[in-house]
Amino acid sequence: MNDRIRVPEVRLVGPNGEQVGIVPIAKALEIARESDLDLVEVAPTARPPVARLMDYGKFKYESAMKAREARKNQAHTIIKEIKLRPKIDPHDYETKKGHVVRFLKAGDKVKVTIMFRGREQSRPELGRRLLQRLAEDVEDLGFVESRPKQDGRNMIMVIGPHKKKAEAKAERAEAKARAQQDSGPASV
C-alpha cells in the first residue's frame, strides 16, 4: 500500500476500474495523492504488478461489514442432550419426548443418552428398544443421524432435524409476525 510498494512500475487501475496503463511508481503515488486516494497493490505476482487507486479505509470497513453480515445470517448447529433411564415412567417419557420435539422444531440436533446402572447394564436391549421407540415417535420432525451405540454405561443416539436451523428460525419469525398481525392494535 502506498509507499510500501517496492517495484519500479505498476499497471495502474483507476478508482472506477478503468485501465490507466503501466506507469512508474512515483507517478502512480502522485496520482493517488492528487485524487486523495490510496495506491493498493492488488496483484503482486503479475508482471508488472497491478495496483489500484481506492480509499483503503473505506474498503476495509465495507469488507468487515460484509463479513459481519455473513456471520449474522449463519446458523450454528447446536447439539442438545436428553438423558433417560431404561425404566422410565410413561409420563416422564412423554415429557422428555416433548423436549426432543421442541429441540427438533427449533432446528437443533438432539443427543439422546440412556444411562444404565448396576444390573441394567446386562440388558442393553431395553435401552435400544426405548431409543427405537423415541425415534419412531419423532420421525416426522427428525431422522436418526447415528444409530444407538453402547459407550460404557451409556447408550447414545443422535437425532437430526429434517429442517435446517435457518428454515426453522424463518418459520418462527413468520408465525410471530402473523400472530402480531392477527391481534393487531387494540382500538379504544
Side-chain angles (χ1 to χ4, degrees):
M1 194 174 105
N2 294 336
D3 296 324
R4 292 190 211 141
I5 300 173
R6 298 277 177 232
V7 290
E9 58 184 19
V10 292
R11 181 178 304 274
L12 189 61
V13 178
N16 299 322
E18 71 277 358
Q19 294 287 332
V20 176
I22 297 174
V23 295
I25 192 71
K27 175 94 168 130
L29 284 168
E30 185 182 315
I31 293 170
R33 275 191 215 98
E34 285 173 4
S35 56
D36 199 29
L37 294 171
D38 296 311
L39 184 67
V40 180
E41 199 173 34
V42 289
T45 58
R47 290 285 161 238
V50 179
R52 181 175 182 165
L53 294 172
M54 66 167 66
D55 185 348
Y56 190 66
K58 182 179 176 184
F59 170 74
K60 275 180 61 176
Y61 173 77
E62 286 174 351
S63 61
M65 292 312 287
K66 282 181 190 172
R68 185 175 167 196
E69 193 66 31
R71 274 196 311 273
K72 189 171 85 171
N73 293 333
Q74 198 173 42
H76 300 289
T77 304
I78 299 170
I79 297 181
K80 304 282 189 167
E81 186 172 11
I82 291 288
K83 293 189 175 189
L84 306 169
R85 298 286 314 284
K87 297 178 185 167
I88 189 168
D89 186 65
H91 180 265
D92 293 338
Y93 171 79
E94 290 301 320
T95 303
K96 297 284 188 172
K97 183 179 86 171
H99 293 316
V100 171
V101 166
R102 187 179 75 226
F103 295 150
L104 290 174
K105 281 184 179 175
D108 295 321
K109 290 183 181 183
V110 182
K111 177 180 174 184
V112 185
T113 304
I114 296 198
M115 302 173 296
F116 295 100
R117 276 201 234 151
R119 285 186 282 183
E120 292 173 347
Q121 290 179 46
S122 63
R123 304 282 308 273
E125 69 275 359
L126 291 175
R128 196 167 279 113
R129 217 176 306 144
L130 184 62
L131 289 174
Q132 192 63 41
R133 178 176 152 206
L134 182 64
E136 288 169 4
D137 288 348
V138 296
E139 70 184 336
D140 56 323
L141 297 170
F143 62 97
V144 176
E145 212 168 84
S146 71
R147 310 284 328 145
K149 285 188 289 267
Q150 185 82 30
D151 181 28
R153 293 175 167 232
N154 300 325
M155 186 174 284
I156 299 167
M157 174 176 80
V158 178
I159 302 174
H162 287 306
K163 284 187 209 161
K164 297 272 187 273
K165 181 88 172 177
E167 292 172 18
K169 195 175 182 182
E171 199 173 276
R172 275 198 314 272
E174 190 179 296
K176 187 176 180 181
R178 209 177 311 116
Q180 260 183 349
Q181 189 181 25
D182 289 345
S183 66
S187 30
V188 179

